[in-house]
Amino acid sequence: MEKVMIVTGGSRGIGAATALMAAKYGFAVAVNYRSNREAADAVVAAIEKDGGRAIAVAADMAVEDDVVALFKTVDEKLGRVTCLVNNAGIVDDPCPVAEMGADRISRMMAVNVVGPFIAAREAVGRMSTEHGGAGGNIINISSAASHAGGGGGAGTYVDYGASKGAIDTFTEGLCREVAHQGIRVNAVRPGVVDTEIHASGGLPNKPKEAPAGIPLGRIGAPEDIAEAILYLAQAEFTTGAFIDVDGGV
Ligand code: NAP
């Protein structure tokens, strides 16, 4: 049976590095994106150039119908998913809780929490040995922010930290719920990684400023996180595990 991985938010950053590495490990890869078709196509082209199999699939992870359609497209074009990487995530501009509006918090939770829940539901339905599946695994991308309470420093995104705290609890609970169905559920908690997410969250200088507070003296590369994800994708006796890939913070 072919190994099929869905990487949500696979068009850029950590997701793109994961998709590229997964193809080298023999996965057929669905590269999900929300709006940047060009970036997703570039990841697919790089995989195909090396002889791998990949497709780009647009879906907003905050929209349930989009998530359902994403899985149906993968069924038709690549086959039944064997590994889901719940990677798509957003931050927002630094903002104290005292000034946070419900719209902002709801959007954060919709993308970072509800999307991974719905994607996991779709994956479990296909992987579960109780539903005729052959098993599989789910890897949730949390963050060091889940135990730091936010992006670090006062007045940064506590809503983001709380969304990642929810992902940690989700991982703990789901792994117990589905272990007997042949499904493993694990998480990776990156520290500061060199991607465009910081600029999109109003902190473009964070990659330059962060190394001072990191014991290993540098921020992570997307590939540092992809390595941990690919380890978990293949670690057959590991479930409910969290790998902190953060340079020692
Ligand atoms: P990034 O460079 O900003 O890339 C985000 C990716 O997610 C893009 O592919 C984007 O698609 C996609 N995306 C955003 N919203 C989406 C939505 N509603 N539906 C579907 N796809 C969506 O982010 P990153 O830094 O690689 O972060 C990836 C994950 O790692 C996130 O969960 C983030 O919270 C976590 N993380 C990152 C860091 C870090 O320092 N970078 C640290 C800890 C945890 P488009 O290209 O279409 O916009």
Side-chain angles (χ1 to χ4, degrees), residues 8-15 32-37 39 59-62 86-91 107 111-112 141-144 160 164 189-198 200:
T8 70
S11 53
R12 294 184 290 116
I14 292 167
N32 158 251
Y33 66 100
R34 186 179 65 85
S35 57
N36 196 333
R37 166 110 222 174
D60 184 338
M61 297 309 293
N86 264 326
N87 166 77
I90 56 168
V91 292
R107 174 79 188 154
V111 177
N112 291 6
I141 308 309
S142 173
S143 170
Y160 174 76
K164 295 301 187 179
R189 284 190 291 231
V192 181
V193 181
D194 192 8
T195 73
E196 292 163 352
I197 201 170
H198 309 292
S200 70

Side-chain angles (χ1 to χ4, degrees), residues 85 109 113 118 120 188 236:
V85 182
M109 297 301 163
V113 183
I118 299 302
V188 176
E236 295 294 343

